[in-house]
Amino acid sequence: MTTAKNPPLASATAMPASATRKAMASPALLLAFVSAAAFALSGPFAKSLFDIGWSPGAAVAVRIGGAAVVLLIPVIITLVRRWSEVKGSLGRIAIYGIVPIALCQLFYFNAVQHLSVGVALLLEYLSPVLLVGWVWLSTRQRPRILTVIGAVSAMSGLVLVLDLAGSQKVSVEGILWGLAAAVCSAVYFVMSARSGDNVPPILMAGGGMVAGAAMIIGLGVTGLLPMAFAFGSPVFAGVQVHWLVPVLGLVLVTTVLAYLVGIVSTRGLGSKVASFVALFEVLFAVIWAWLLLGELPRAIQLMGGVAIMFGVVLVRLDELRGWPRRGPSYAVDIDMVELESAGPLPAETPQP
């Protein structure tokens, strides 16, 4: 007869109420919202470029390639100073750039070619559910009731925010592309969540951008990824601007800032909580569309935003106040440290 695994060390301890309240307002949580807001700006920036003739492949190439150029010098300096520590992680950095950064964006744009934007975005944001399911299978431990309720609330709110009512364009190929993007998005949270990682965020993001840009540009050069550029004057936020304005916005705000802050926040929150907070990107996208494009959100979208916030709060509370006797909080991490002792735990043991 096999025995059940002991719960992970980080999840097996309970936190005092005061520590829980402090963690709920932690800098990592605030940074996660900043990252979500920055990522959400990619829609308005990219849309202004598409309107003057840019292709999705061209936007992805400039977005990732520009970020790689911006971060190249800091990446080189970090490599030189910390070569002995990070040389063994170069392969993982390359995978991070190719899968969560480059392929995730590419798969999403391919899904958009076959599905409505709302359906494609909904499929990509199934990543939190995939994470919960993956940990359930890998640890053989069922999620606690708060996590289940939070997941249902957040995903229901996501549907409302996307406002999918009405006829939608459905394509099996598009659905498969969208699910592939969701898998890549889940990989992003798993790889970003290594709190004890010896790879600095600047190297993880910048090195990943270099690897991702090399792949995307390679696909463009070989003709596998169509690229079309235009240099007119796009309209952004109701104002005609130089084409460099949305390009710089895509590079500096929605990529460099978003990924750097996202890595830092995910290492502080764990991938499960960070993936649910990332659902706010959809809510922020609605807000940006309202402010920059004049697209006023409907009441159903506001209701969805409330449901997302409620779900995120439940998942975060479950993560911070979990009691091991009722099941693990199982923050997803590649390196799980397990308890060696099977003895009872103190009633209130602060997390290290």
Side-chain angles (χ1 to χ4, degrees):
M1 178 182 297
T2 59
T3 58
K5 281 188 169 184
N6 292 320
L9 179 61
S11 302
T13 57
M15 295 184 68
S18 60
T20 298
R21 287 192 296 268
K22 181 178 180 181
M24 281 295 292
S26 66
L29 187 61
L30 299 178
L31 289 176
F33 285 115
V34 172
S35 178
F39 275 124
L41 273 170
S42 63
F45 282 129
K47 184 176 181 180
S48 65
L49 293 174
F50 295 157
D51 289 342
I52 63 172
W54 283 56
S55 67
V60 173
V62 168
R63 183 182 183 188
I64 300 178
V69 171
V70 171
L71 296 174
L72 185 58
I73 293 179
V75 165
I76 293 176
I77 294 175
T78 304
L79 279 175
V80 172
R81 290 180 176 177
R82 305 184 63 170
W83 175 252
S84 60
E85 301 176 37
V86 303
K87 62 181 179 180
S89 302
L90 296 182
R92 183 159 52 84
I93 294 173
I95 294 174
Y96 181 83
I98 292 173
V99 179
I101 294 179
L103 289 182
C104 186
Q105 295 182 46
L106 184 59
F107 290 163
Y108 170 71
F109 282 125
N110 281 334
V112 170
Q113 290 182 341
H114 301 279
L115 301 168
S116 67
V117 173
V119 173
L121 192 60
L122 174 60
L123 289 171
E124 181 181 351
Y125 274 89
L126 286 174
S127 56
V129 177
L130 295 181
L131 281 173
V132 172
W134 178 80
V135 181
W136 187 351
L137 292 175
S138 63
T139 63
R140 308 294 184 185
Q141 298 282 358
R142 291 182 301 173
R144 291 192 300 264
I145 187 63
L146 279 181
T147 291
V148 173
I149 296 175
V152 172
S153 177
M155 297 310 297
S156 299
L158 182 61
V159 174
L160 294 177
V161 168
L162 292 174
D163 196 11
L164 298 177
S167 60
Q168 296 293 330
K169 182 182 178 183
V170 178
S171 164
V172 174
E173 182 180 355
I175 291 174
L176 293 177
W177 282 121
L179 292 176
V183 172
C184 293
S185 177
V187 172
Y188 162 75
F189 290 109
V190 171
M191 296 191 71
S192 297
R194 295 169 63 100
S195 58
D197 204 330
N198 64 332
V199 181
I202 188 70
L203 180 57
M204 179 65 78
M209 296 297 171
V210 172
M215 189 199 72
I216 291 295
I217 293 174
L219 291 175
V221 171
T222 58
L224 296 176
L225 181 62
M227 292 190 181
F229 300 88
F231 305 99
S233 298
V235 176
F236 180 74
V239 179
Q240 195 171 47
V241 298
H242 194 278
W243 61 270
L244 278 176
V245 172
V247 167
L248 291 176
L250 278 176
V251 172
L252 299 178
V253 178
T254 74
T255 309
V256 174
L257 174 65
Y259 276 99
L260 284 177
V261 174
I263 292 172
V264 174
S265 65
T266 303
R267 289 183 180 183
L269 294 174
S271 59
K272 185 182 73 172
V273 176
S275 67
F276 277 90
V277 176
L279 293 176
F280 274 84
E281 180 183 338
V282 181
L283 182 59
F284 280 121
V286 173
I287 295 174
W288 291 132
W290 176 24
L291 297 177
L292 301 176
L293 305 177
E295 299 176 357
L296 190 65
R298 300 176 58 189
I300 191 173
Q301 294 176 309
L302 297 177
M303 291 173 56
V306 173
I308 291 175
M309 289 185 284
F310 179 70
V312 169
V313 168
L314 287 184
V315 173
R316 183 59 171 155
L317 284 173
D318 199 25
E319 186 73 31
L320 295 171
R321 303 178 65 184
W323 179 247
R325 302 284 182 200
R326 298 170 58 188
S329 58
Y330 59 84
V332 181
D333 200 350
I334 295 176
D335 298 321
M336 284 188 174
V337 181
E338 297 185 352
L339 289 176
E340 297 295 336
S341 172
L345 296 171
E348 285 191 358
T349 305
Q351 286 186 334

